Amino acid sequence: MITEITVGNFGTFSTDKSVPLKGLTFLVGPNNSGKSTLLAGYLALATLNRRFGFQFPQYPDRLNIKGNFPSPFFQRIDPNNREGIVLGTLLKFQEGADATYARGADAPIKFTVKGQFETGEASLSLKLTGYPSFNTYEVSAAAPNKESLNQLYSALKNTWAFPSSRDFIAPSSSVGYYASDPITFGTKGINVIQFLLEKWTDRDERWEEAESWLKKLDPNINLLKSPLRRNDASIETSVKLQNQKYDFNIYSSGSGIQRALQIICAVVFSDPGSVIVIEEPEMNLHNESQNVLLDLFNSYVNNGKRQIIVSTHSWDLILGVVRDLGMQTNRRGDGHVPTNKESFEMLKLSRDTSGIDITEYDLTNKKFSDIRSDFNMLWGESTRHDHE
């Protein structure tokens, strides 16, 4: 499991900032407090690791590499290309006024991840210099043995990324269309139909599990429609009009259910030990649907098979955890999967003129009124006073 992320000289982080992680980690805070920047740093390292595979060449306990990324890497931005996505992300966070200190070669961008595994702790660090191409790198890794470091590589490789700018799913997909790797999931999630078609064809044993979670959001959804009757497949839901049932493509339904479908597919079909990074999973979802996603996260985190990192502005999503762990009797009920306090972490980010502050926020020893007051940036000042 990934236990710590550190970023430095990147976006709003002018100094090195480290955050601890658990099985389920919530990043909360106002806009421009560093949540997206922190996740972008981790995803940049994970993507570069997938592309170049910073693998142990021999058996040494430590590894240090310096060099340049090969041409034509980082020469142009291709929105459909994994490397282009990384460069676009790096430039996005380095072009603003907040990042002027990091543009020179003497201020390298720094990303570090640490992980704790059965065979020991492992860490991987990456420094990038040479704005704006960032093609000069320095990699260092440390672990007590090869197995620990390879487990860290595996966690990075099996990272599923869900930025807040996910696109709608495609209306249909043809057999044979290539489904991209987990970290991009079709760059922006649009290839979920092809992904499901492959799982259907492979008779994946988790198919019914994925469908059951989706039906908790919408009982009328059929995950895959007519995969064998023609050359393409679609996902459809149903509606009844005058006692007559009609099917329509989920592409024509709300954006919330489409995004939830992408998230459910990643959590259910990802390999054990995978890391799923999600920005604002609550987007366009009703509060009860957000509770379904929290149940989904808890179900796969509590058994230790997934690690999920979430940035959120949703009071409803936080409230679900508060009801599981806080000092009150209003629990979410027997129908929900409770949050495990041993595997949950909430980190509160804030920013002032001195920089970004990151603190661990313990829900277990706080009253609801205290939590509500602490998270007034989610309620809004006027709303908070109205409830006091």
Side-chain angles (χ1 to χ4, degrees), residues 144-161:
N145 49 62
K146 182 177 180 179
E147 289 74 17
S148 297
L149 191 55
N150 280 337
Q151 285 184 299
L152 177 60
Y153 292 141
S154 178
L156 291 170
K157 180 180 179 181
N158 291 310
T159 292
W160 297 67

Side-chain angles (χ1 to χ4, degrees), residues 20 22 26 28 318 321-322 324-328 339-348 358-368 370-372 374-375:
K22 289 190 177 180
F26 276 16
V28 300
I318 294 173
V321 181
V322 171
D324 285 342
L325 302 180
M327 296 174 61
Q328 74 289 309
T339 307
N340 183 343
K341 65 179 181 179
E342 301 301 326
S343 59
F344 177 78
E345 179 84 82
M346 181 176 286
L347 300 172
K348 185 178 179 182
I358 304 175
T359 57
E360 298 179 42
Y361 192 89
D362 186 3
L363 291 170
T364 60
N365 61 353
K366 292 183 180 294
K367 297 180 180 179
F368 175 80
D370 296 330
I371 297 170
R372 184 185 64 187
D374 290 341
F375 288 95

Side-chain angles (χ1 to χ4, degrees), residues 211-265:
E211 193 166 38
S212 67
W213 280 107
L214 192 59
K215 286 184 178 295
K216 291 180 181 180
L217 297 175
D218 184 350
N220 297 312
I221 282 183
N222 299 308
L223 263 186
L224 204 63
K225 188 73 174 180
S226 62
L228 302 178
R229 284 182 282 176
R230 32 187 230 176
N231 292 329
D232 55 11
S234 62
I235 301 171
E236 301 195 359
T237 188
S238 303
V239 63
K240 279 188 177 181
L241 297 174
Q242 297 180 346
N243 295 322
Q244 179 67 40
K245 180 181 176 182
Y246 296 92
D247 293 336
F248 66 93
N249 198 312
I250 196 175
Y251 173 78
S252 302
S253 64
S255 57
I257 199 70
Q258 296 187 40
R259 179 173 171 82
L261 171 63
Q262 298 167 353
I263 293 173
I264 289 172
C265 283

Side-chain angles (χ1 to χ4, degrees), residues 39 52 99 106 195 264 300:
L39 295 182
F52 294 103
D106 59 338
F195 179 85
I264 289 172
Y300 283 81

Side-chain angles (χ1 to χ4, degrees), residues 2-298:
I2 304 296
T3 56
E4 185 178 274
I5 301 174
T6 302
V7 299
N9 294 329
F10 181 58
T12 54
F13 291 91
S14 57
T15 58
D16 292 0
K17 287 289 184 179
S18 300
V19 298
L21 301 173
K22 289 190 177 180
L24 177 60
T25 302
F26 276 16
L27 306 178
V28 300
N31 290 330
N32 205 30
S33 60
K35 301 185 301 296
S36 295
T37 310
L38 188 67
L39 295 182
Y42 169 76
L43 293 176
L45 179 55
T47 305
L48 292 172
N49 177 69
R50 287 186 61 84
R51 172 62 174 84
F52 294 103
F54 302 127
Q55 299 291 330
F56 254 154
Q58 300 288 330
Y59 183 73
D61 288 345
R62 298 184 180 274
L63 172 69
N64 291 280
I65 302 175
K66 296 181 180 180
N68 296 308
F69 289 116
S71 179
F73 188 69
F74 281 175
Q75 285 192 355
R76 63 188 180 88
I77 299 177
D78 180 352
N80 297 312
N81 180 278
R82 186 164 57 226
E83 291 84 350
I85 295 171
V86 176
L87 177 57
T89 299
L90 294 176
L91 288 176
K92 169 186 175 182
F93 286 98
Q94 297 306 96
E95 287 288 357
D98 290 326
T100 54
Y101 48 78
R103 293 183 181 178
D106 59 338
I109 301 174
K110 294 180 285 185
F111 307 127
T112 300
V113 294
K114 292 182 180 180
Q116 183 65 49
F117 308 98
E118 293 180 358
T119 55
E121 184 181 71
S123 66
L124 178 68
S125 299
L126 173 67
K127 293 182 181 179
L128 297 174
T129 55
Y131 177 88
S133 63
F134 303 112
N135 65 332
T136 300
Y137 68 87
E138 180 178 346
V139 177
S140 61
N145 49 62
K146 182 177 180 179
E147 289 74 17
S148 297
L149 191 55
N150 280 337
Q151 285 184 299
L152 177 60
Y153 292 141
S154 178
L156 291 170
K157 180 180 179 181
N158 291 310
T159 292
W160 297 67
F162 288 86
S164 59
S165 58
R166 303 292 282 188
D167 286 347
F168 289 166
I169 66 174
S172 63
S173 182
S174 298
V175 176
Y177 180 75
Y178 175 69
S180 299
D181 57 76
I183 202 167
T184 58
F185 201 16
T187 303
K188 294 185 178 180
I190 60 175
N191 75 335
V192 66
I193 297 177
Q194 173 61 27
F195 179 85
L196 286 170
L197 181 59
E198 292 180 357
K199 297 302 180 184
W200 173 271
T201 305
D202 293 340
R203 303 293 193 271
D204 194 295
E205 60 184 12
R206 295 165 291 184
W207 180 271
E208 292 184 1
E209 194 171 349
E211 193 166 38
S212 67
W213 280 107
L214 192 59
K215 286 184 178 295
K216 291 180 181 180
L217 297 175
D218 184 350
N220 297 312
I221 282 183
N222 299 308
L223 263 186
L224 204 63
K225 188 73 174 180
S226 62
L228 302 178
R229 284 182 282 176
R230 32 187 230 176
N231 292 329
D232 55 11
S234 62
I235 301 171
E236 301 195 359
T237 188
S238 303
V239 63
K240 279 188 177 181
L241 297 174
Q242 297 180 346
N243 295 322
Q244 179 67 40
K245 180 181 176 182
Y246 296 92
D247 293 336
F248 66 93
N249 198 312
I250 196 175
Y251 173 78
S252 302
S253 64
S255 57
I257 199 70
Q258 296 187 40
R259 179 173 171 82
L261 171 63
Q262 298 167 353
I263 293 173
I264 289 172
C265 283
V267 174
V268 173
F269 290 113
S270 57
D271 294 331
S274 294
V275 181
I276 297 106
V277 178
I278 312 171
E279 283 193 86
E280 301 176 37
E282 69 273 9
M283 287 179 60
N284 305 311
L285 283 180
H286 186 270
N287 59 342
E288 288 302 323
S289 297
Q290 294 180 42
N291 264 290
V292 172
L293 286 187
L294 179 58
D295 288 341
L296 173 75
F297 299 159
N298 288 333

